[in-house]
Amino acid sequence: MAEVIRMPLLSDTMTEGVIAEWHKKVGDTVKADDVIAEVETDKATMEVIGYVEGTLLYIGVEKGKAAKVNGIIAIVGKPGEDYKSLLEGGNNNAPAAAAAAPAKEEAKPAAAVAAPVADNGAAAEALKNATVIRMPLLSDTMTEGKIIAWNKKVGDTVKSDDVLAEVETDKATMEVIGYAEGELLYVGVKEGEAAKVNGIIAIVGKKGTNVDAILAAEGKPAAPAAKAEEKQATPVASAAPTATPETSTSDNGRIKASPLAKKLAEEKGIDIKQVTGSGDSGRIIKKDIDNYVPAAAPAQQPAKAAGAPAAKAAAFVPAGQEGFTDIPLTQMRKVIAKRLSESKFSAPHFYLKIDVNMDKAMEARKSINEISPVKISFNDMVIKASALALRQHPAVNSSWYGDFIRQNHHIHIGSAVAIEEGLIVPVVRFADQKTLSQIAGEAKDLYDKAKNKKLQPQDFSGNTFTVSNLGMLGIDEFTAIINPPDSAILAVGNIKETVISEKGQFKAVNIMKLTLSCDHRSVDGAVGARFLATLKGYLENPVTMLV
């Protein structure tokens, strides 16, 4: 069966995308992980992956022209397959046109396909009054998204700019906008469950639209999905009388709160039911958690603490007990595990270590910060020095692509940041062309976004080299796993006072240990060594970075 490829939602403000380049032409074979096109959005140019296999049968948008989000841009199927039925009833302006896919069988003898024709007719009629909302592609490595929260329930009125749901991807939690108006007729994925990219997550349209016909045309069971909605609503409704929320609850008893607010409340031990929401319709947001001060908690806690020791001491008999907690994997953690495993076991790593005397760098930083509009960190100096060294050693600024090595002309430095869910790498673009204060200001903004889950896809993609710094955590030295598609990653250790011998005299100097992990397929040992020597020169004599 032919599959429709639609214009994905690649940023939270995107309404349409311009086809910057097609990487496939009609008749080409397409694999599930092939990049079929490059799309220019309002924020960046990103790759579009179809996640389907077959032959490219149809291209709906020419290079240089735009398509609305969810509009049909291509169709993939078997060679010679009739795909025209997929375009009936709206082409690019009918986001749910793919539901008509089974109609291709109409070309066969009429008697043999009488029932499917009837079902397809009902689906086509239903699609005139409804729009299918699909799981958008929210990051360049995303294959599925997990529904964290639905902001609408079946029966609610939906406007074109309403946020329908919040989705956790491999990189961040982002909002999904349906760009459709009407009533929410169907929810296909429960909170806490995942859906593949391009999978149906909801249907919006006129009340009374035949949703079952649309789902049947997509090959999805209609009746069980409807029953699941009823079952999901029933326990919540029955639980409402026993809950004691003061504010911020919906009619079915569910607490209205953003995923970040829920997470912060859990981390801080705050009963979110007691928090008053200041967001839309009383929704609890991050600010409400940050500003929440429990009135009764301080008085209650000492009372409990006073009577607790005797009871706990008497009950605590075992010297120790076995126990464990199974923590469900987040989308980010799944992708970290997958990509770094692929990197470690497919890329032949080798490691180069060097000691850097940071005495002059420490003096220079102190002087620079007296006049800089933003505080310069040692990590900012490492990013700048790495970028300048990459300019002199472009072989390190490369990527392995199996049949060829791509040597990048631009220098985008990724700086690894640890957050609760795992590791993310915001990218400082054109770092070699920026001043230290520009790098420091941009890096600070990116780190703040990362910690607050506000990074957009263009903020954490496109790196050509990565810096991972654990020195601020007291780690003297370590080795890092290469961050694809880079060919190298620099592990930065702590600056530590060390006694050395120089010309027969002992003296204390401040040493920082650097370890360069290299992909031996694209970077040779001598190339990596020369890069490290250049980097060392910049850091030991920072004035050379200002030339």
Side-chain angles (χ1 to χ4, degrees), residues 129-425:
N129 300 314
T131 299
V132 173
I133 311 299
R134 299 176 182 274
M135 178 61 72
L137 182 71
L138 298 171
S139 81
D140 54 342
T141 57
M142 174 182 173
T143 57
E144 66 178 15
K146 182 179 179 181
I147 300 292
I148 296 298
W150 281 103
N151 295 333
K152 299 286 183 180
K153 62 181 184 295
V154 173
D156 284 356
T157 299
V158 177
K159 296 180 181 178
S160 61
D161 58 351
D162 279 350
V163 176
L164 289 182
E166 294 174 1
V167 172
E168 181 188 73
T169 72
D170 55 324
K171 302 272 179 76
T173 298
M174 302 181 70
E175 297 176 334
V176 172
I177 300 172
Y179 300 105
E181 296 198 355
E183 181 179 301
L184 184 56
L185 305 173
Y186 168 80
V187 169
V189 184
K190 297 177 185 177
E191 289 184 1
E193 294 184 356
K196 295 290 185 185
V197 168
N198 243 7
I200 294 178
I201 59 173
I203 297 177
V204 173
K206 282 186 180 179
K207 187 175 183 178
T209 300
N210 187 355
V211 172
D212 289 354
I214 298 174
L215 296 174
E218 287 275 352
K220 294 186 175 293
K227 289 177 182 176
E229 284 299 320
E230 294 169 8
K231 288 179 181 178
Q232 186 180 5
T234 302
V236 176
S238 63
T242 61
T244 57
E246 292 182 356
T247 55
S248 310
T249 55
S250 61
D251 294 338
N252 63 2
R254 175 178 166 273
I255 299 294
K256 292 180 181 178
S258 71
L260 181 57
K262 290 179 181 178
K263 182 175 181 61
L264 287 174
E266 183 181 348
E267 290 174 352
K268 295 182 177 183
I270 295 173
D271 183 357
I272 201 166
K273 298 174 186 174
Q274 307 303 320
V275 180
T276 301
S278 63
D280 294 339
S281 303
R283 189 164 180 257
I284 300 169
I285 57 178
K286 178 179 180 291
K287 180 179 70 174
D288 302 323
I289 302 297
D290 291 338
N291 297 334
Y292 177 69
V293 179
Q300 291 172 352
Q301 286 173 356
K304 289 181 180 179
K312 287 184 178 178
F316 187 72
V317 177
Q321 292 183 357
E322 294 181 356
F324 59 85
T325 301
D326 291 332
I327 302 173
L329 293 178
T330 62
Q331 296 299 110
M332 178 182 288
R333 180 56 63 186
K334 287 179 183 177
V335 172
I336 289 172
K338 180 175 181 290
R339 296 191 72 202
L340 293 186
S341 293
E342 290 173 352
S343 172
K344 181 65 176 177
F345 298 116
S346 64
H349 286 54
F350 72 90
Y351 308 98
L352 301 171
K353 299 182 180 182
I354 198 167
D355 290 350
V356 179
N357 185 333
M358 294 293 286
D359 284 349
K360 289 185 179 179
M362 294 172 75
E363 294 174 5
R365 176 174 175 263
K366 183 178 179 180
S367 300
I368 291 171
N369 278 334
E370 290 177 357
I371 59 172
S372 174
V374 59
K375 186 177 180 180
I376 308 297
S377 70
F378 288 114
N379 197 62
D380 300 326
M381 299 178 78
V382 171
I383 290 174
K384 176 66 174 178
S386 298
L388 293 177
L390 288 170
R391 187 192 290 171
Q392 295 187 41
H393 304 279
V396 182
N397 194 44
S398 63
S399 303
W400 174 265
Y401 278 89
D403 296 331
F404 61 92
I405 296 172
R406 174 171 294 170
Q407 196 169 105
N408 299 296
H409 299 158
H410 56 278
I411 297 173
H412 295 347
I413 306 291
S415 182
V417 177
I419 57 178
E420 289 293 332
E421 291 77 10
L423 189 72
I424 195 165
V425 185

